[in-house]
Structure formats: structure tokens, C-alpha cells
Amino acid sequence: MGTKRQFRIWRGDENGGDLQDYTVEVNEGEVVLDIIHRLQATDAPDLACRWNCKAGKCGSCSMEINGMPKLGCMTRMSTFTEDETVTVTPLRTFPVIRDLVTDVSFNYEKARETPAFAPPADVAPGDYRMQQVDVERSQEFRKCIECFLCQTVCHVVRDHEENKQAFSGPRYFIRAAELDMHPLDTRTDRKEYAQAEQGLGFCNITKCCTEVCPEHIKITDNGIIPMKERVVDRRYDPLVWLGSKIFRRGETPQTSVTTARQGSATPPGTSRGGTHSHAGGSHDPQAEAQAQSGVNWHREVPHPTAPAVDDRGRLPLTELTFDRAAAPSPFGDDVTFPLPPEHLNFAHPEQDDKH
């Protein structure tokens, strides 16, 4: 025989609502989603809740339990004291449809904006070959079940609705990192795209996304921080900056990564007003002044560009003088596997486990 427990569940729709109290029977071994189902069968048959697998693999039953974004099917009732009132509310970041169901279409829109995997043109799909050592790091990000808990807890969009247009969120930062690490992906502008189009610079690495991930993906340590390091290496490294000034690389921006989406191409050697070069140069003095003074939330984010090349597709001397991208990077050739434990830029998913 189960015990009676107190639940407080948000009921309402896009026009408003409030918390309603329920007393419901709880049996040993049950999870919060079990209690939601019992309420639907007894006291609240019209209670709306999204779910599918009840095994922590579909990411459908995302909700906020006592203020913490969690999966209802993975939150056991035994984690609460018997006299504790369990409060269940919808994800706060996204618009409410009804009760515990929210409109998460924002995430699917950002998924469509993310450039897809670009395999080598001269390799047939059945001929793709990769070594395990080459996919060791990006394989972690494939565990994402798209529960969007990391998206809803990210304060950049949680507390600032106006940021949604320019910010993709942690789920798509690790997607960009995964493809940037992929040994067969041929796009070389993933990090620039993440910075200029996905809003990577808005993230201040509070690691709240990592804390709520039910798959224990090290989103910040293994995805966002390395991507930020790559961007800083290319854009702000003093040697690259000096080379751009000496060889005036900033005067000839090349094809933008957003050309396909904008429907217009930029011929080699043709400048685009307000477009930053790969090294940070720009034809717009105002945009450059804003970039030097810090983040301006009201200006249009410059489009990223590929490394400057001549009409024969060859890199200039400034590129050829470096044997790697400006400085050692966790993505570079200087990384050996397995990674040494003192390597602070990489946190293994299992390193927190107690043995």
C-alpha cells in the first residue's frame, strides 16, 4: 500500500494559470511521471503532459520539478522527503501550450539553421572510414536526446526573450563542435559560424547546461569552451592580428558561410560592406569600433568568412608561416590520445564517477 503525498502542479494555458494542489498515492520505486499518469487516471483527466518512452531516451517529458529542469521519467520519488510538497511546472523558457506542455519549436528552428554534415565529395557514403581515435571526443555529443533541458536553463534566452533570434543555445553549440571535430566533415568554418550566427560569444560558461544534462554530457568543458578557444585563437591572437595588419588581409573578405542562406554569392576579391575578415578586419569603421569596445547588443552580428585566398585558391604568406592555427588548441594536431589527466580543457564524461 502506497503513502499519500502532496503535489502542486501548474494548470493553465497561454492565457495564464496557477498552481493546484493534489494529494496522490505514491508507491515504492515510482517516478514523477508515474504520479502524473495516476493523476490523469483519477483526479485530473484533462492534465496535459508530453511523454513517450518513459526510459530517459526520448527527452519528451521535460518539466521543472521543484524549480529544477528534469525529466519526469528519471526523477524518482524517493529523492524527496515524505513531508515534502513536490511542485511540477512547465519549462519556463518556452511558451506554454497547456499545463505541462510547452512549445519548443524554437529549438527545431535553430536546428534547421545549423549547417548540415558536409561529407567529402569524392567519397561514396558506403566508403566512409574513421578511426575510433578520431571520433573519441565528438562521440560524446551524439548521446544528446534533445530534451532541451540545457536550452531552457540557459539564462541567455531564459531571462532575455529578445536574444532568441541571435542565440542558438548549448544544444546547437555542441552540434557545431561535433561537426567541427568530425574527421569527414569538409566545412572549415564551423567555429566562425558558431561565433557570428549562433551567438557563441553570448555564452559566459556558467555550466548550468552541463548540470541539468540527463546524459551527463560535458557541454561546457568539452564543447563550448574548446569552440571559444578556436575562435579566440583565430580572431584575437596577437600574431594573427599583426599578420593581418602587415599583409592587410582584412581588406579582401571572401565567401561568407551564410551565402547559401542569403541566396547571393560573393566573388573572390570582392568586398562586402560591414563583413569581417577571417582575422577580424572590416570595411565598416563603426563596426570595428564597436568590436573593440566590447559587445554591442544592438548591432548586427558580422557574418563569418573563410580564410583569405588569392585567385588561384592559395593561402597568403601569413597563413603559411604558422604550422597550426595560431596557438595550441584542444582541436589541433598537438593533442594525443588518450588525453593525459592533467589536460584541463577536456573533462571525460566518466571522470566524476566514484570508483
Side-chain angles (χ1 to χ4, degrees), residues 165-185:
Q165 183 177 359
F167 189 77
S168 294
R171 191 277 170 266
Y172 300 103
F173 293 155
I174 65 171
R175 174 63 174 163
E178 172 205 337
L179 292 172
D180 198 37
M181 298 176 188
H182 201 293
L184 292 178
D185 186 73

Side-chain angles (χ1 to χ4, degrees), residues 65-124:
I65 303 172
N66 286 358
M68 177 67 73
K70 294 181 179 181
L71 295 178
C73 69
M74 298 298 290
T75 306
R76 294 197 172 274
M77 289 301 301
S78 58
T79 60
F80 308 105
T81 61
E82 292 189 3
D83 59 346
E84 183 176 1
T85 298
V86 180
T87 302
V88 183
T89 56
L91 299 179
R92 201 183 83 183
T93 302
F94 307 116
V96 173
I97 297 177
R98 188 162 71 88
D99 298 339
L100 303 179
V101 179
T102 55
D103 180 4
V104 294
S105 58
F106 160 80
N107 302 287
Y108 301 117
E109 292 171 3
K110 295 303 179 182
R112 284 193 294 268
E113 294 174 4
T114 303
F117 170 65
D122 57 343
V123 180

Side-chain angles (χ1 to χ4, degrees), residues 60-320:
S60 299
C61 61
S62 300
M63 56 188 69
E64 297 195 8
I65 303 172
N66 286 358
M68 177 67 73
K70 294 181 179 181
L71 295 178
C73 69
M74 298 298 290
T75 306
R76 294 197 172 274
M77 289 301 301
S78 58
T79 60
F80 308 105
T81 61
E82 292 189 3
D83 59 346
E84 183 176 1
T85 298
V86 180
T87 302
V88 183
T89 56
L91 299 179
R92 201 183 83 183
T93 302
F94 307 116
V96 173
I97 297 177
R98 188 162 71 88
D99 298 339
L100 303 179
V101 179
T102 55
D103 180 4
V104 294
S105 58
F106 160 80
N107 302 287
Y108 301 117
E109 292 171 3
K110 295 303 179 182
R112 284 193 294 268
E113 294 174 4
T114 303
F117 170 65
D122 57 343
V123 180
D127 295 333
Y128 294 165
R129 296 292 182 272
M130 296 179 292
Q131 297 295 325
Q132 179 60 35
V133 68
D134 294 326
V135 298
E136 192 88 1
R137 299 194 60 183
S138 62
Q139 198 168 27
E140 174 191 3
F141 305 134
R142 302 290 294 182
K143 297 192 300 180
C144 176
I145 60 176
E146 294 200 326
C147 60
F148 304 130
L149 294 183
C150 63
Q151 297 285 89
T152 192
V153 79
C154 180
H155 62 275
V156 178
V157 292
R158 186 181 180 94
D159 299 329
H160 303 277
E161 179 71 22
E162 67 277 9
N163 289 343
K164 285 187 176 181
Q165 183 177 359
F167 189 77
S168 294
R171 191 277 170 266
Y172 300 103
F173 293 155
I174 65 171
R175 174 63 174 163
E178 172 205 337
L179 292 172
D180 198 37
M181 298 176 188
H182 201 293
L184 292 178
D185 186 73
T186 57
R187 293 190 69 113
T188 60
D189 54 13
R190 298 286 182 186
K191 51 191 174 294
E192 289 85 0
Y193 184 88
Q195 173 71 10
E197 294 294 325
Q198 294 183 296
L200 180 66
F202 292 166
C203 171
N204 56 6
I205 56 177
T206 57
K207 297 191 178 184
C208 49
C209 52
T210 300
E211 291 179 6
V212 300
C213 179
E215 289 293 326
H216 307 292
I217 302 172
K218 301 291 185 179
I219 299 173
T220 310
D221 292 328
N222 294 352
I224 296 177
I225 291 178
M227 288 294 281
K228 281 178 171 285
E229 289 177 341
R230 292 293 301 273
V231 172
V232 170
D233 283 349
R234 301 301 300 151
R235 188 173 292 274
Y236 299 111
D237 185 272
L239 293 179
V240 176
W241 176 86
L242 181 61
S244 69
K245 296 300 180 182
I246 295 175
F247 295 94
R248 308 183 72 83
R249 295 173 56 204
E251 293 187 359
T252 312
Q254 300 297 314
T255 306
S256 169
V257 299
T258 55
T259 295
R261 192 173 66 181
Q262 294 171 344
S264 61
T266 303
T270 303
S271 65
R272 295 169 57 102
T275 303
H276 281 214
S277 75
H278 192 65
S282 173
H283 288 281
D284 186 353
Q286 183 179 2
E288 283 299 296
Q290 291 173 342
Q292 293 295 329
S293 62
V295 175
N296 185 333
W297 294 78
H298 303 290
R299 73 181 176 94
E300 181 181 359
V301 179
H303 293 156
T305 56
V309 295
D310 57 22
D311 54 0
R312 295 178 296 172
R314 297 182 178 179
L315 293 173
L317 181 60
T318 49
E319 287 284 352
L320 301 177

Side-chain angles (χ1 to χ4, degrees), residues 133 136-137 329-343 346:
V133 68
E136 192 88 1
R137 299 194 60 183
S329 163
F331 287 71
D333 295 334
D334 52 310
V335 173
T336 58
F337 292 89
L339 291 168
E342 64 271 13
H343 197 301
F346 177 71

